[in-house]
Amino acid sequence: MQELTHYINGAHVKGTSGRFADVMNPATGEVQAKCPLASKEELEQAVAVAAAAQPAWAATNPQRRARVLMKLVSLLNRDMDKLAEALSREHGKTLPDAAGDVQRGLEVVEYCIGAPQLLKGEYTDSAGPGIDMYSMRQALGVTAGITPFNFPAMIPMWMFAPAIACGNAFILKPSERDPSVPLMLAELAEEAGLPKGILQVVNGDKEAVDAILYNDTIQSVGFVGSTPIAEYIYGTGCAQGKRVQCFGGAKNHMIIMPDADMAQAADALIGAGYGAAGERCMAISVAVPVGDETADKLIKELVPRIENLKVGPYTSGNDVDYGPVVTAAAKANIERLVQTGIDQGAELVVDGRDFKLQGYEDGYFIGPHLFDRATKDMDIYKHEIFGPVLTCVRAQSYEEAIGLAMDHEYGNGTAIFTRDGDAARDFANRINVGMVGINVPIPVPLAYHTFGGWKKSVFGDLNQHGPDSFKFYTRTKTVTARWPSGIKEGGEFSIPVME
């Protein structure tokens, strides 16, 4: 049985708390490793190391810091296959999906290579007589991130890349369900030239989270996960005077207009709804066809596609569409919500409840499900299922369809499929959701824009990556300078006389 470690001060360090979490193989249901759960004292040790290392890193000019990130990009590309395999082994994603996880994080590292430009301040010459004013962006100090199981490469890089580019030290508390890739990322960062102590990984559970929130040295906290925990971390962290950004749950709607290409819309829904077994905060979990005729056409297109999905372990090859969910508890919760949908009257058009994979009966595999004629008062509509379950809610008009998305408590992502430019423009302008796709099912912005939802999907004022990340991980200092005039005239050699 492999015993994993923390990564502190440039070295793998065994846990000393005596507490461990099981790291499962989702495909087989077997324990494949033990992950140490840090005590408050272990977290504080990492913070002390970070606090000692950070001033010298902040004093390193931004161009030299950027060169470390440039080298890290090269190493990530070198080890892409190794990272993807480790990710798939613990999470269950297919290998192409795991490589995409790494790639989307790598792109944020690439963006952060532009730190010298992004950290430039402002300057005003002659703001007053002999007075100049200028602003500086300066590092916060020691920062921290608490990241989820579903993107164990991408989301850590979304946080630590801008943090260290800005001159901060960063404490990463990854999910204890799949911690190997974060440890590998810390190793690669130091191979790229990052000083010891600037990026450290402390594995743990709520005890480690609370140690982060109540540590006076840590200046900022980032979080991605469920909305209840996001609310807890945001409230607690803000009360401790920290800068906090938290990203929570989602229930993403895709509106299908009568003029949409139904085959294209169905293909988009298959990937967006069932990719990664639905364990994405940007997954489309609600399809909203406008009109019964549209709905009937859509269902007709969806059913054969869903029934032909290939479900299996990542070791079965790159033609697997999705793998298992991450834990037995996650599987049980999805199955519970599916049964709730049946009990509350939704029509289960594709029933994946009896899905069994020969040789992997103890794995956490779930067959694909499709509900039709669901209503907004049903639990399968109100709650985030986080599984391979697509719910169709029929709307009789465009206004009813857009109202569904606008009235839902979550506002992470949404999409509309249409050929009507006017409808698309109206949708993009009116919808109260943070990320919008027009004929794009999963509108995750590229690294040089920002990622973030609205409503109960986000807590905090700034988004992830893009320009917002450099604002989040720095403080602005404004300097007003005045220099007395006349000094430049030099010395006087005549005997002074009264004037």
Side-chain angles (χ1 to χ4, degrees):
M1 179 64 62
Q2 182 186 12
E3 182 179 320
L4 299 175
T5 63
H6 308 298
Y7 195 81
I8 299 174
N9 200 22
H12 288 276
V13 177
K14 283 193 171 186
T16 60
S17 70
R19 298 187 307 119
F20 293 88
D22 290 338
V23 179
M24 310 301 294
N25 181 335
T28 65
E30 298 172 335
V31 179
Q32 59 183 331
K34 296 281 188 180
C35 176
L37 302 176
S39 64
K40 177 184 176 184
E41 290 72 24
E42 288 173 294
L43 186 281
E44 289 177 344
Q45 176 193 353
V47 173
V49 169
Q54 188 270 333
W57 176 243
T60 302
N61 75 56
Q63 190 170 358
R64 291 186 182 276
R65 296 199 299 261
R67 287 173 183 167
V68 172
L69 297 177
M70 197 179 302
K71 178 64 174 176
L72 177 57
V73 168
S74 174
L75 296 177
L76 289 167
N77 279 307
R78 182 196 72 185
D79 288 0
M80 179 70 72
D81 291 344
K82 186 189 300 184
L83 290 162
E85 199 280 331
L87 197 159
S88 293
R89 187 174 62 247
E90 292 182 350
H91 178 278
K93 287 185 183 185
T94 65
L95 283 172
D97 197 25
D101 188 330
V102 179
Q103 179 65 33
R104 271 305 185 108
L106 181 156
E107 289 168 2
V108 171
V109 181
E110 287 178 327
Y111 173 76
C112 293
I113 293 170
Q117 168 69 22
L118 294 162
L119 290 171
K120 287 197 305 184
E122 298 173 323
Y123 187 90
T124 300
D125 175 61
S126 298
I131 296 174
D132 303 323
M133 298 183 70
Y134 59 95
S135 64
M136 299 182 287
R137 289 201 170 277
Q138 295 191 322
L140 302 179
V142 180
T143 60
I146 301 161
T147 57
F149 76 86
N150 60 327
F151 286 98
M154 182 184 79
I155 294 177
M157 285 190 271
W158 283 11
M159 292 185 188
F160 75 66
I164 63 178
C166 291
N168 299 289
F170 192 87
I171 307 291
L172 172 61
K173 205 299 289 179
S175 171
E176 62 274 25
R177 298 174 188 172
D178 45 11
S180 290
V181 168
L183 291 166
M184 295 166 72
L185 293 175
E187 290 179 323
L188 289 178
E190 289 190 11
E191 185 181 344
L194 190 68
K196 298 181 189 303
I198 297 301
L199 174 59
Q200 300 179 99
V201 180
V202 179
N203 291 300
D205 55 6
K206 188 176 184 297
E207 183 174 339
V209 169
D210 285 341
I212 288 170
L213 293 174
Y214 288 99
N215 186 285
D216 291 337
T217 302
I218 293 174
Q219 299 297 300
S220 75
V221 179
F223 171 80
V224 176
S226 69
T227 286
I229 299 176
E231 288 181 301
Y232 169 75
I233 289 174
Y234 185 72
T236 305
C238 289
Q240 301 306 309
K242 301 185 190 307
R243 183 175 293 182
V244 188
Q245 58 174 187
C246 291
F247 298 84
K251 197 70 177 179
N252 305 316
H253 297 63
M254 184 171 125
I255 294 172
I256 301 95
M257 296 295 287
D259 68 333
D261 182 320
M262 288 302 141
Q264 182 188 57
D267 286 339
L269 279 168
I270 293 297
Y274 299 100
E279 292 179 318
R280 295 170 175 161
C281 68
M282 287 294 285
I284 293 292
S285 54
V286 181
V288 187
V290 177
D292 286 329
E293 183 179 349
T294 305
D296 291 340
K297 290 178 181 177
L298 181 66
I299 295 296
K300 184 179 179 181
E301 294 280 354
L302 284 172
V303 170
R305 287 170 168 80
I306 296 170
E307 291 177 340
N308 287 323
L309 287 172
K310 183 177 179 180
V311 182
Y314 77 93
T315 51
S316 292
N318 291 348
D319 62 337
V320 172
D321 293 306
Y322 71 85
V325 295
V326 70
T327 63
K331 179 181 179 182
N333 185 59
I334 294 163
E335 292 171 339
R336 177 187 63 80
L337 281 164
V338 167
Q339 188 58 50
T340 299
I342 296 167
D343 294 343
Q344 293 178 348
E347 180 184 341
L348 188 58
V349 179
V350 178
D351 186 349
R353 288 175 296 172
D354 294 330
F355 179 85
K356 298 291 183 186
L357 190 63
Q358 186 174 358
Y360 295 91
E361 289 82 4
D362 294 328
Y364 311 136
F365 292 96
I366 298 179
H369 295 74
L370 173 65
F371 280 104
D372 190 14
R373 302 182 188 277
T375 57
K376 63 182 182 180
D377 59 335
M378 294 179 180
D379 287 349
I380 57 170
Y381 176 75
K382 292 189 292 184
H383 302 302
E384 185 174 31
I385 299 175
F386 228 56
V389 182
L390 180 62
T391 301
C392 181
V393 180
R394 297 181 176 219
Q396 297 308 309
S397 68
Y398 168 74
E399 289 298 328
E400 182 185 350
I402 196 172
L404 287 167
M406 294 185 73
D407 291 344
H408 204 283
E409 65 176 341
Y410 293 127
N412 209 42
T414 189
I416 187 169
F417 272 63
T418 182
R419 293 186 175 98
D420 185 343
D422 179 58
R425 291 183 75 250
D426 180 75
F427 181 78
N429 280 301
R430 286 174 56 195
I431 199 76
N432 57 350
V433 174
M435 290 170 283
V436 180
I438 297 172
N439 299 316
V440 174
I442 304 181
V444 177
L446 292 175
Y448 41 89
H449 288 266
T450 68
F451 177 102
W454 287 12
K455 298 184 282 188
K456 282 200 171 183
S457 292
V458 67
F459 301 87
D461 297 328
L462 293 169
N463 286 343
Q464 294 192 91
H465 65 65
D468 272 14
S469 63
F470 279 76
K471 295 176 184 176
F472 182 76
Y473 286 111
T474 58
R475 292 189 181 97
T476 301
K477 180 183 289 180
T478 305
V479 179
T480 302
R482 180 178 183 181
W483 298 98
S485 60
I487 295 176
K488 65 179 180 295
E489 302 299 331
E492 292 187 13
F493 295 94
S494 300
I495 295 175
V497 295
M498 185 176 294
E499 296 180 0

